[in-house]
Amino acid sequence: MSRDRDLRFRVVTAFQRRVVNPVTRRLPFQTLLETTGRTSGLPRRTPVGGRRVGQAFWLVSEYGDKSQYVRNIRADPKVRVRVGGRWHHGTAHLMPEDDPRARLKSLPRFNSGAVRAVGTNLLTIRIDLDG
């Protein structure tokens, strides 16, 4: 990662962790992804954008393998997703073979615009929802 990209990543993620995420996690309509912390074992909730299609929920990570929730998924793919105010259990699958830019076109515009604007290492994630 270049020095400029690394600085951009640090600034954006610090802002998201300290300002955006604490506020948006509290919004009842916000979609949340809950992973298990790979070191702590504690639940970690991250606001995400994506779309439910049948029994799957699709999203695109803006920083791919550098995202903490992607690292948590690698350690334990069992997750929960809050969609429309309801929690759903599921299993997350990292999809490096999927075209994340094409996938973004099928996701809500607000989120996909933000991911496109700041994302440097896009990665598609599919969550197969239980029941």
Side-chain angles (χ1 to χ4, degrees), residues 4-39:
D4 289 340
R5 279 189 170 187
D6 189 48
L7 177 62
R8 182 176 166 186
F9 168 78
R10 289 175 187 269
V11 169
V12 169
T13 57
F15 180 73
Q16 287 174 330
R17 281 189 201 135
R18 291 179 179 86
V19 178
V20 176
N21 291 357
V23 171
T24 56
R25 274 194 299 255
R26 291 182 172 89
L27 300 173
F29 57 84
Q30 175 65 50
T31 301
L32 294 177
L33 171 65
E34 183 180 85
T35 60
T36 301
R38 63 193 174 282
T39 303

Side-chain angles (χ1 to χ4, degrees), residues 29-33 46-53 56-61 69 81-84 103-104 106-112 115 124-127:
F29 57 84
Q30 175 65 50
T31 301
L32 294 177
L33 171 65
T46 305
V48 296
R51 174 166 283 141
R52 183 175 180 169
V53 179
F57 184 83
W58 291 87
L59 68 130
V60 175
S61 169
Y69 67 88
V81 182
R82 186 178 77 183
V83 181
R103 182 68 57 191
L104 283 171
S106 70
L107 299 179
R109 283 186 184 176
F110 177 75
N111 172 257
S112 50
V115 170
T124 301
I125 301 169
R126 183 189 80 228
I127 300 169

Side-chain angles (χ1 to χ4, degrees), residues 76-124:
D76 182 0
K78 295 293 182 191
V79 299
R80 291 192 327 149
V81 182
R82 186 178 77 183
V83 181
R86 289 192 57 221
W87 284 100
H88 304 273
H89 291 269
T91 304
H93 303 277
L94 305 178
M95 312 284 292
E97 69 282 354
D98 191 69
D99 180 356
R101 295 203 184 279
R103 182 68 57 191
L104 283 171
K105 292 178 183 177
S106 70
L107 299 179
R109 283 186 184 176
F110 177 75
N111 172 257
S112 50
V115 170
R116 268 190 236 116
V118 298
T120 58
N121 186 25
L122 303 179
L123 175 65
T124 301

